[in-house]
Amino acid sequence: MSEKPHIVKSYEEQLQLLKDTIIKMGAGVEKQLEQSIQSATKKDLSLAEKTIKDDETIDRFEVNIEEQVVNLIALRQPMAIDLRETVVALKISSDLERIGDLAKNISKRLISVGVDLPTEIVKNLEIAGLKAAKQVNSVLNSYLHRDKAVAESVWNSDEEIDQITNVNMEAAVKHLEKNKSDIKKVTQLLFVLKNIERIGDHATNVAEQTYFLITGEYLEGDRPKA
Amino acid sequence: MNKITARDVNVFYGSKQALFDVSINIQEKEVTALIGPSGCGKSTFLRCMNRMNDVIDICRVEGSIKMDDLELNSNKLDVVRLRENVGMVFQKPNPFPKTIYENIAYGPTIHGLAQSKEEMDQIVETSLKKAALWNEVKDRLDEIGTGLSGGQQQRLCIARAISVSPEVILMDEPCSALDPIATAQIEELIDDLKKEHTIVIVTHSMSQAARVSQKTGFFHLGKLIEFGETEKIFKNPDNQQTQDYITGRFG
């Protein structure tokens, strides 16, 4: 349904501000994710440090969204699409905040092992990271443009990140078998790979929420998993 | 189970048509809320269910409205018996300018429901208890009903309505003149009354409709636009007009 504006302009503006804040938070999280992966691929740990610092901004966005949602519920008593808009914003902000935390954690681990990493694992990390970043970008677009087909597509694609993660984990273990002295680095990289997989899960949660926001219905069936 | 079944109800005030082909099933022992902008026909429809439109000379009702198997829109219907079975509560509390006791005893007296003073006392007590007013007025039943507060007067009117044990209670914006506490008391009462009565309530308060009803019907320009589970109507209505109205986008 395409929506007419509310009769009460200030209510319309408050709901618009909520949507805008989610999009700004999403853009911040995308940047965090991108930087954290690039700190490994470009061997530039200043990007990892920046990612860690940027997480404070993301956390503040989450608090701000929570305040907006509580105010809307207390003062406007939203109904139907407005109620879904309000409740979904709260849940999406929570998933975005977790993605930010995971990007921060990736950065911390990369700082702890330095830039001299096994090339093959870094390559795999880049493939998985780009895929996860694409998922986050697509789901934010589906939220922005109210595109349920894109939300569904993100939901269905999570399986691919799971598969990539499984392959990458196996490759990392094989590398370790041949290069036992890399144990500290590879252990940290295994966590990094797992974090990327978790980021995909959060993007899928956002896709579920966005689909509910648009349709008022829940995506049916079990999420595809590898 | 359906308590009231309306089929293709059309209502005219002179040459002006107020309701267009309204069909609806009112479930027994549930609360059904009718919502919609002023002049949409919701009160007109409510009044069809106890033939209150009969008092308007130029009003003509077509179609079928059945309560169980009884056709309400029939010339042969005993309207007095109908109103014994279908009580009504209005927007503004309208107790009789008589004592609290007499307000309640009036209906049972004219319908011959009590054979003795003891029986009448019992009806008055039970009705006031069901209307959650007994504790507040039990020691002053001989005081004038219009001396009570607005919320108490409305509960007195509800007690008066239920004193003749109607199966259906119609409420036309029963809380619009009440403060939030008195409103909450009426809403609590509605919750309680639905165990024994079928309730149809017209309200302008979206949140009240959402709080008290199990089914909601949205009227616009004399048509029933959408009717369904209250949860569905307020979470994810099927009709764009319904959504525009309940979210304040109407007009």
Side-chain angles (χ1 to χ4, degrees), chain A residues 79, chain B residues 31 33-35 187 201 203-216 230 234:
Chain A
M79 297 272 191
Chain B
V31 181
L34 306 180
I35 60 169
E187 289 180 4
I201 178 170
T203 176
H204 272 139
S205 161
M206 298 298 106
S207 49
Q208 179 169 66
R211 286 193 298 265
V212 303
S213 72
Q214 287 71 57
K215 299 276 185 343
T216 296
T230 295
F234 287 103

Side-chain angles (χ1 to χ4, degrees), chain A residues 104-118:
Chain A
K104 179 180 167 183
N105 187 269
I106 289 172
S107 300
K108 279 184 174 174
R109 290 181 189 279
L110 291 174
I111 289 170
S112 80
V113 292
V115 291
D116 184 20
L117 300 169

Side-chain angles (χ1 to χ4, degrees), chain B residues 6-11 19-22 45 48 61-65:
Chain B
R7 288 289 173 270
D8 302 319
V9 174
N10 290 283
V11 176
L19 285 182
F20 297 82
D21 294 322
V22 172
F45 182 70
C48 288
V61 179
E62 291 176 359
S64 164
I65 307 164

Side-chain angles (χ1 to χ4, degrees), chain A residues 1-8 11-12 15 77-84 212 214-218, chain B residues 205-208 210 226 232-244 246-251:
Chain A
M1 293 188 206
S2 64
E3 305 302 335
K4 291 181 202 165
H6 290 85
I7 296 166
V8 179
Y11 184 22
E12 184 74 14
L15 283 170
Q77 292 99 43
M79 297 272 191
I81 178 68
D82 300 337
L83 178 62
R84 299 204 299 276
F212 173 68
I214 299 164
T215 64
E217 287 161 11
Y218 297 100
Chain B
S205 161
M206 298 298 106
S207 49
Q208 179 169 66
E226 186 166 353
K232 163 92 177 137
I233 298 280
F234 287 103
K235 274 163 57 181
N236 189 22
D238 288 327
N239 189 283
Q240 182 72 54
Q241 282 180 299
T242 314
Q243 173 137 300
D244 287 347
I246 62 172
T247 58
R249 290 179 167 90
F250 215 65

Side-chain angles (χ1 to χ4, degrees), chain B residues 107-123:
Chain B
T109 305
I110 60 167
H111 292 294
L113 300 181
Q115 307 307 318
S116 64
K117 172 79 170 67
E118 287 71 29
E119 264 186 52
M120 187 59 85
D121 288 350
Q122 195 54 53
I123 289 173

Side-chain angles (χ1 to χ4, degrees), chain B residues 31 129-132 155 158 171 175 180-195 199 201 208 211-212:
Chain B
V31 181
K129 277 183 174 164
K130 279 187 185 167
R155 278 180 283 147
I158 292 173
M171 297 184 170
C175 300
I181 298 297
T183 298
Q185 286 167 332
I186 301 287
E187 289 180 4
E188 166 64 13
L189 186 53
I190 290 172
D191 253 358
D192 223 36
L193 290 174
K194 77 165 189 283
K195 292 171 194 151
I199 297 171
I201 178 170
Q208 179 169 66
R211 286 193 298 265
V212 303

